[in-house]
Every structure is written in C-alpha cells, then in structure tokens.
Amino acid sequence: MIIQELVNRIPVIEIHGDVNREVAALVFDSRKITENALYIAIRGTVVDGHSFIASAIEKGATTIVCEEFPETLAEEVTYIQVKDSSKALGRLASNFYGNPSQKLKLVGVTGTNGKTSVSTLLFDVFKNLGYDAALLSTVEIRIGDEIIPATHTTPDIITINKILAEAVEKGCEYAFMEVSSHGIAQNRIEGLHFKVAGFTNLTHDHLDYHKTFEEYLKTKKRFFDELEDTAIAITNIDDKNGPVMLQNTKAEKKSYALKTMADYHGRLLEVDFNGMLLNFNGKEFWTTLTGKFNVYNLLLVFGIATELGFEQDEILQAISKLKRVSGRFETFKSDGGIFFIVDYAHTPDALENILDSINDIRTKNERLITVFGCGGDRDHSKRPEMGNIATKKSTLAIITSDNPRTEDPAQIIKEIEAGVEPQNFSKYTSIPDRKEAIKMAIKFAEPKDIVLVAGKGHETYQEINGVKHHFDDKEVINELWKLMSK
C-alpha cells in the first residue's frame, strides 16, 4: 500500500518526502524492522521510540511516523508528523489491512470480571447458531476452528487488525473481543469500529497500573465515550458504575439486570452444581453453567445476540447447548465424593462471587475449603480484602502462592493475612507451596466436601522470578487425588 492511501482520514501535521512510496509492513518495535517498513515512533512510559528512528532507517525502514521530526532528515525516507503516534498507529493499522472491523460486526466486552467468559460464550453461541466468528480473548484467539495462542489481554492494534482481516478473508461475519483497561489506556483499540459494546461490572482491580479507582473507571468509560452513533452500548444497571458508562456515549443505549427493570431482565429460578433454570425476558431455559455471576454473563450474551438481530428463542436454544469456559467454575467430582471447583477468581469481587455462588448451592452439611493466593507485582491493596472474604465465607481457607513473579511469596501471604478478622483466625492456614496447599485441602476434605482452588483457572503455569514453570491446578488436583487415594 502506498503512503497516500495509508494516511487517508488520519490527521497529519506535515509530510516530508515521497507520498507514493510503497509500505511493506507496519512496525512500532525498531528491533523488528523489515525492508520498506513504516516505523511508528511511540512515546512509552519507559522508552521513547523517537530515540530509535535512526536505527530503524539503518535496518530498512523507508517511512517514519513521529510526533517530532529528527534534526537531520534522510533524503530516501518519507517522514510523517502526527500529534499522537499511538493513536495514529490504530488508524494506520486499520487502513493497512483494509479496515476489517468495518466489514465485520465487531463486539467488544469490557469490565473487571466476566470479559473472557462473555466473549468466549458469544463465540460459542454463534457457533451453535451456525456462524463462523473470530474470538480475541485472554485465553485464546480463534478464527473459526483455528486456534492462535493469546499473549496479552488485548493484543497490539496491528495484530488485532491482522486477525480481523484474516477473519474477513475466511468468511467470518462476527468478531468478539475482550477489551481490557490496559488496551483502552494504551490505544490498542484505536481505529476499530465496534457494532456492540458490552459492560459487565467494575470492581477493585489493576490499581497498580491505573493508581486510583477513578482513573480505572474513567479508562473503561472512554471505550463507550468513543463509540460511533451507529454502535449499540449495553450495560449492567445492577452495577452502580453501569449507568456511568453510558453518560456521554453517542451509541444507542441498552441495559440488562436481575434486580431492576431493564431491556434484558433475568431471573434465577433454580440452581445446583449441575446447572441453572433461568428466565430471560419471560422465557424459561436450562443451562449447565452455574453461579449467579454466570446469570449476568449469559444475560449479556442474550442481549448482545438479540441486538445483532437474532430471534430470542433461537438464542436461548444455542445458550442451552453451551459448555463451561475453561477455568471458570469448572467442576469435577472425585471417586471419593469430594467436589472440586477450579476458578480464575483473582480479584476480591470475583472471589466473593464464586464463594457466594457455592454457598447458595451447598446445603451447609458440606464444608467449603478454599485454596487461593494473590499475584506478585500487582495491586497490593486487594490482598487483605481477599484474605477477609475467603476466611469469612469458607469453612477453611488455605492461603498460598499464585504467580509471585518477582515478589517474595511469604510477604504476599503476610499482606493477605492482614485482612483476616480476629473471629476468623482459626479458619485459615498458610502454605506458600501451591501444590502442598492443594494437597492439604485434599487431606482435610471428606466425602461431599467442596474444595475451591481459585486464582489461576485456565493458566497452565506459575511465574516465579520471571520464569514460567508448568503448573495446572486441574492436573495437580487429579495427580494428588490419585496418589493420596491409593
């Protein structure tokens, strides 16, 4: 694609050089420059990409997009000055790949908890409805039946457009995308055209990055503020921050709720570990998913599919065929009658939701043993809160290591313990080794007891001092159960 086509509808301050030059690739990491690439110099929090312009040209870049021209301009290079390189990148990427988000019905899902579940459930519902779609989530990226490993909550904007272009090429009509606060803040969704935007909830998380809850809220809201008037925004009005998301949006406004009247209203009629009987907008159906938080997830799926033009009866039929999302309230029963639940819950709200869901189902004759920890190099303020929730709502809480990263696991545990209230001191123990903690839970459990292993869910590794070691909660439970029941 030539530069003149590439910068179409992008606010440019000045261009120096040949605008008919061919661009072979877009690159924002100077180490990945290829011949005739366009290099975008982005100012990061740690590194300024403008420092690498000369190096990028040396390696073969023939077009430079930057906020400030270098002192010396090379004759054989085209320089494009923009106000914000990070924002320009999104629009350049869209143009370079033929604006694929305009050719698909792109759905973005944001919120603290439920983003991955809702995006994945939408992908599966549309598969059940007979449509191929693309999925961009934390757990995996999919184009129809093809699976591409995921590395970030929201991939970079060049990768997103490349995936969406592939989806268009393969005949997909829909794409479902998890939209993280990091992705919004770092302009990783810039230039994308969303048909529907869904909001799940907003609770305490990522304050290591956003610093304050207000900043976190503002970032999430920006996603809705920037929607076009052709889009539809659907929000959870049972969450106090739900209506806030819609305050300044140009999109058509829709709502869903369990507790208040809304465009999409749901009721939980029956629940057990095998599933739930639900009523959405006056229609009853059964699902194998369980837990109150999943009622909200499914209600959002139902609302989005309806807004995309599908009949409500066919949507509910497709929802009824759904299987549980990997690592989200995944249940299995041992030969000895112990009930195991593996869940990704790693925020105070998510942990409380999963524990409340279990306590709503259990008869109280069974004990609830919870194994959990908190990630290292992340928001410290949620640690005592999670210690309080787990010990208050479990028969026994075993505090252990999650992904300590570069932190000392013992120090993380100490911070979790600080939140335990005196009346719950006898209801917890600490075992830093996660495998040993799971072993202790199995040893303590009796038939009919429930063991919740929370925090890692679908993850198959444990990150310690920058090294990822293989660790899968489900594998460890099965391995230990077999060993200990011999």
Side-chain angles (χ1 to χ4, degrees):
M1 182 178 278
I2 62 166
I3 292 169
Q4 199 159 17
E5 291 169 357
L6 204 51
V7 297
N8 186 28
R9 294 195 303 277
I10 293 171
V12 168
I13 297 168
E14 188 184 341
I15 297 181
H16 183 279
D18 182 6
V19 291
N20 291 309
R21 191 184 300 283
E22 196 73 34
V23 171
L26 303 185
V27 183
F28 60 87
D29 182 341
S30 62
R31 294 166 299 183
K32 295 177 181 174
I33 294 291
T34 52
E35 204 61 39
N36 295 323
L38 179 151
Y39 172 65
I40 304 107
I42 293 172
R43 296 190 198 279
T45 45
V46 181
V47 177
D48 184 352
H50 288 72
S51 315
F52 302 100
I53 290 174
S55 164
I57 292 167
E58 251 176 65
K59 289 174 185 169
T62 49
T63 308
I64 303 294
V65 173
C66 52
E67 292 170 19
E68 278 177 43
F69 283 162
E71 281 181 28
T72 312
L73 302 181
E75 277 183 35
E76 70 286 1
V77 173
T78 303
Y79 297 86
I80 302 164
Q81 188 186 8
V82 293
K83 187 183 175 187
D84 186 331
S85 299
S86 177
K87 285 194 169 188
L89 172 59
R91 298 181 186 281
L92 288 167
S94 285
N95 286 346
F96 187 79
Y97 285 101
N99 295 293
S101 64
Q102 291 180 344
K103 297 169 185 172
L104 291 156
K105 291 184 178 78
L106 177 62
V107 176
V109 182
T110 198
T112 305
N113 301 308
K115 297 185 298 293
T116 307
S117 293
V118 173
S119 306
T120 308
L121 291 169
L122 277 164
F123 178 85
D124 291 339
V125 161
F126 275 69
K127 195 172 184 178
N128 290 345
L129 288 167
Y131 291 86
D132 268 346
L135 169 69
L136 293 93
S137 84
T138 328
V139 181
E140 62 184 7
I141 292 166
R142 298 186 68 164
I143 301 170
D145 293 327
E146 185 194 349
I147 300 172
I148 302 157
T151 51
H152 298 286
T153 312
T154 311
D156 69 73
I157 191 64
I158 298 174
T159 305
I160 290 169
N161 276 284
K162 188 180 177 186
I163 291 161
L164 295 179
E166 251 183 80
V168 170
E169 203 181 307
K170 290 181 178 171
C172 296
E173 288 181 51
Y174 301 92
F176 305 106
M177 180 176 169
E178 183 178 341
V179 177
S180 69
S181 56
H182 290 67
I184 299 165
Q186 294 164 14
N187 298 319
R188 281 188 258 149
I189 57 166
E190 190 68 33
L192 296 179
H193 295 265
F194 288 93
K195 177 65 184 163
V196 185
F199 172 77
T200 57
N201 49 61
L202 199 70
T203 61
H204 199 128
D205 200 18
H206 299 309
L207 299 195
D208 53 313
Y209 180 81
H210 297 286
K211 305 305 175 204
T212 66
F213 187 80
E214 288 67 32
E215 194 54 42
Y216 181 43
L217 171 72
K218 207 187 288 179
T219 304
K220 291 287 190 191
K221 187 176 176 295
R222 189 181 134 192
F223 175 42
F224 294 90
D225 290 352
E226 294 177 0
L227 290 172
E228 294 158 293
D229 57 10
T230 52
I232 297 157
I234 177 165
T235 194
N236 173 5
I237 54 169
D238 282 347
D239 186 292
K240 65 178 180 185
N241 297 299
V244 177
M245 296 296 140
L246 304 184
Q247 280 172 359
N248 303 315
T249 190
K250 295 190 287 285
E252 188 183 341
K253 300 171 185 180
K254 295 286 178 176
S255 60
Y256 69 100
L258 300 184
K259 298 171 187 170
T260 46
M261 286 312 294
D263 296 302
Y264 299 99
H265 185 264
R267 278 193 302 137
L268 172 58
L269 304 175
E270 287 174 28
V271 61
D272 62 28
F273 286 120
N274 298 312
M276 300 181 287
L277 180 65
L278 303 174
N279 182 306
F280 285 0
N281 282 11
K283 298 171 188 289
E284 278 187 25
F285 69 101
W286 174 262
T287 173
T288 58
L289 275 69
T290 197
K292 199 172 188 178
F293 58 95
N294 266 324
V295 186
Y296 281 104
N297 291 343
L298 290 173
L299 192 54
L300 179 52
V301 168
F302 175 69
I304 289 170
T306 304
E307 292 301 328
L308 288 171
F310 289 86
E311 291 293 325
Q312 294 190 352
D313 286 338
E314 64 174 335
I315 298 164
L316 294 179
Q317 209 174 343
I319 286 175
S320 298
K321 295 176 190 169
L322 289 172
K323 293 183 175 75
R324 296 180 188 187
V325 176
S326 172
R328 266 62 173 184
F329 212 115
E330 261 195 280
T331 58
F332 50 100
K333 202 173 184 178
S334 72
D335 301 339
I338 300 167
F339 208 87
F340 291 98
I341 299 169
V342 172
D343 193 86
Y344 187 54
H346 62 285
T347 65
D349 184 63
L351 187 62
E352 189 160 30
N353 279 339
I354 193 89
L355 289 168
D356 284 347
S357 295
I358 295 167
N359 283 321
D360 285 346
I361 297 167
R362 73 185 183 108
T363 64
K364 308 295 183 284
N365 294 323
E366 321 90 340
R367 294 175 302 170
L368 171 54
I369 304 151
T370 301
V371 179
F372 81 105
C374 289
D377 304 333
R378 296 293 185 270
D379 182 7
H380 289 242
S381 60
K382 69 182 181 185
R383 293 172 185 175
E385 209 181 324
M386 288 175 73
N388 180 29
I389 290 164
T391 50
K392 192 165 65 180
K393 294 178 181 279
S394 311
T395 314
L396 171 70
I398 302 173
I399 303 169
T400 187
S401 195
D402 191 285
N403 287 321
R405 298 182 178 91
T406 63
E407 278 194 74
D408 175 8
Q411 181 55 35
I412 297 172
I413 289 169
K414 204 173 169 185
E415 289 178 34
I416 297 169
E417 289 175 331
V420 181
E421 293 175 350
Q423 67 268 29
N424 295 321
F425 283 170
S426 61
K427 290 174 70 185
Y428 88 91
T429 187
S430 308
I431 302 173
D433 185 301
R434 193 172 180 90
K435 190 170 183 176
E436 287 302 314
I438 295 170
K439 190 176 183 179
M440 164 78 170
I442 295 171
K443 201 180 280 188
F444 184 75
E446 292 173 359
K448 292 189 179 175
D449 283 350
I450 300 151
V451 175
L452 167 66
V453 181
K456 293 180 64 57
H458 63 279
E459 290 179 352
T460 55
Y461 63 86
Q462 193 172 23
E463 192 179 330
I464 303 164
N465 289 322
V467 180
K468 286 186 176 181
H469 304 267
H470 181 77
F471 196 102
D472 183 326
D473 283 344
K474 288 177 279 186
E475 269 179 30
V476 171
I477 291 165
N478 281 318
E479 177 198 324
L480 288 172
W481 172 254
K482 280 172 191 166
L483 266 176
M484 292 165 74
S485 57
K486 278 180 182 175

